[in-house]
Amino acid sequence: MHKKISLIIPVYNSSKFLHKTLEAVDDQRKKSSWDLELVLVEDGSPDRSFEVIESLSQTYPYIKAIKLSRNFGHQIAVKTGLSYATGDYIAIIDDDLQDPPSLLPRFFDELDKGYEVVYGIREKRKENEIKKLAYSSFYRILNSISDTKIPLDSGDFCVMTKNVKDKMLTLNEQNPYLRGIRAWVGFKQIGLRYERSGRVEGESGYSLKKLIKIAKDGIFSFSSLPLQVISILGNIGLFISILFTIFTLVRYLANEIAVPGYTTIIIIIAFFNSILLISLGLIGEYIYRIYNEVRNRPHTIIEKTINV
């Protein structure tokens, strides 16, 4: 049965090399005889990315492009692309060819066998050792504390059926963590290992701030552990205070209490104030996310489209 393919690519600061990405996509389209719909989501890029897309759309008529009014973030850009994808099979790749289109036929073969989601498991990443350690540690920590088991070392690179895409879009979260949502919706899924390539050109658009935000979205959206930490800290504080009370009473009965006690008071106050601030910060994070959901603002503002 002939399937329509939707390929979603979020675009950010890619004006210098986007043509290389589309050449690779078109080569694979011809080789695999795809009925292709290429959904490009320009995420408020400060360079000329959308102008380049407009030019490339003359060469590749199957392009469907959406320009966002500002930078809303990678996850929102991908979710916007999902909402515009109409194919039977949907694929998500980056714009820098780290997940080359030549891998997709192997992934689509698994969908033909009956799987609903096929995600990539990254091997031999090209980042520096510190980044690789940070990524590896995060995935393992998240997997151990999450109520939903999220596959280790898997990113957004994946293919899925239209059915799964539609189910993912029913989760109208303001701070989506898509690889977590992909795992949460269930269905028959499988991971395929691949060696991730280096960037074709330029530098990653993921700053430390953006990486931290994605990490927080994953932890706070798929784990209640931060709230449980508050109880743990409270119990630790209670245990220490009981011990200190007993210690103080013993000294009092033995007439060993000195009048000053300045150091002890400062230590106790500092300790419990720290616990209070940590607890308030964790609660505040959840309250802020609840507030975001209640406001029900649109995920994106679309400035311009091509072939939509």
Side-chain angles (χ1 to χ4, degrees):
M1 182 178 174
H2 190 62
K3 302 287 187 182
K4 180 179 179 181
I5 304 295
S6 289
L7 180 55
I8 299 169
I9 304 180
V11 176
Y12 188 78
N13 273 356
S14 311
S15 60
K16 294 180 180 178
F17 57 85
L18 190 59
H19 65 284
K20 296 180 182 179
T21 304
L22 265 63
E23 285 170 7
V25 168
D26 198 59
D27 288 345
Q28 192 58 52
R29 177 190 68 86
K30 293 172 182 175
K31 190 180 297 184
S32 301
S33 301
W34 286 340
D35 175 13
L36 180 64
E37 169 189 72
L38 179 59
V39 183
L40 301 176
V41 183
E42 199 269 66
D43 187 22
S45 184
D47 67 357
R48 298 177 52 256
S49 289
F50 197 75
E51 293 177 32
V52 172
I53 292 173
E54 287 178 315
S55 175
L56 290 169
S57 66
Q58 305 300 315
T59 306
Y60 307 107
Y62 48 80
I63 284 178
K64 179 188 286 187
I66 300 100
K67 176 176 173 57
L68 305 185
S69 61
R70 64 170 176 83
N71 179 236
F72 285 87
H74 180 271
Q75 298 292 285
I76 291 292
V78 173
K79 185 173 182 180
T80 301
L82 287 172
S83 67
Y84 281 89
T86 60
D88 302 297
Y89 289 171
I90 294 95
I92 301 168
I93 67 172
D94 286 338
D95 60 359
D96 53 14
L97 290 180
Q98 286 189 288
D99 310 314
S102 58
L103 293 173
L104 290 175
R106 183 162 66 102
F107 282 61
F108 288 137
D109 285 344
E110 297 299 325
L111 293 186
D112 291 334
K113 294 175 184 176
Y115 287 97
E116 296 268 9
V117 175
V118 187
Y119 53 84
I121 300 174
R122 300 161 173 173
E123 291 185 331
K124 298 180 181 178
R125 303 177 66 124
K126 299 300 186 291
E127 291 91 351
N128 62 54
E129 294 302 320
I130 295 176
K131 266 194 172 182
K132 284 194 282 189
L133 177 62
Y135 285 133
S136 177
S137 300
F138 167 70
Y139 287 126
R140 279 149 184 80
I141 291 170
L142 179 60
N143 192 55
S144 66
I145 67 175
S146 175
D147 302 323
T148 301
K149 293 305 175 186
I150 301 170
L152 296 175
D153 302 318
S154 65
D156 293 319
F157 175 48
C158 68
V159 301
M160 67 185 76
T161 61
K162 184 178 186 296
N163 179 46
V164 172
K165 183 265 295 187
D166 291 341
K167 296 298 186 293
M168 287 178 65
L169 290 177
T170 62
L171 278 70
N172 198 32
E173 297 182 11
Q174 294 292 322
N175 297 286
Y177 183 66
L178 293 177
R179 63 201 74 169
I181 292 173
R182 187 180 68 206
W184 185 89
V185 296
F187 298 101
K188 193 176 180 182
Q189 305 195 12
I190 189 173
L192 294 183
R193 296 186 177 277
Y194 73 104
E195 184 174 338
R196 199 164 199 234
S197 306
R199 291 178 61 87
V200 65
E201 195 174 326
E203 297 182 357
S204 173
Y206 272 127
S207 63
L208 179 61
K209 181 180 178 181
K210 290 181 179 179
L211 288 171
I212 291 173
K213 182 185 182 302
I214 289 181
K216 286 169 62 180
D217 288 341
I219 291 170
F220 286 99
S221 297
F222 289 92
S223 175
S224 60
L225 182 64
L227 287 174
Q228 296 171 29
V229 167
I230 296 174
S231 296
I232 294 170
L233 290 173
N235 289 327
I236 291 172
L238 177 62
F239 178 71
I240 292 173
S241 66
I242 290 172
L243 289 179
F244 185 73
T245 300
I246 294 171
F247 174 70
T248 304
L249 286 173
V250 170
R251 292 188 66 202
Y252 173 77
L253 294 173
N255 295 318
E256 294 179 357
I257 294 182
V259 175
Y262 178 79
T263 304
T264 303
I265 292 173
I266 291 299
I267 291 173
I268 294 298
I269 290 175
F271 176 77
F272 283 102
N273 280 349
S274 297
I275 290 180
L276 283 172
L277 290 173
I278 292 170
S279 302
L280 287 172
L282 293 173
I283 293 171
E285 184 70 39
Y286 280 101
I287 291 174
Y288 173 72
R289 289 168 184 273
I290 293 169
Y291 175 57
N292 266 344
E293 299 296 332
V294 170
R295 284 188 301 185
N296 199 28
R297 288 180 177 176
H299 292 92
T300 53
I301 302 295
I302 294 172
E303 180 180 331
K304 196 183 298 185
T305 62
I306 298 173
N307 297 331
V308 174

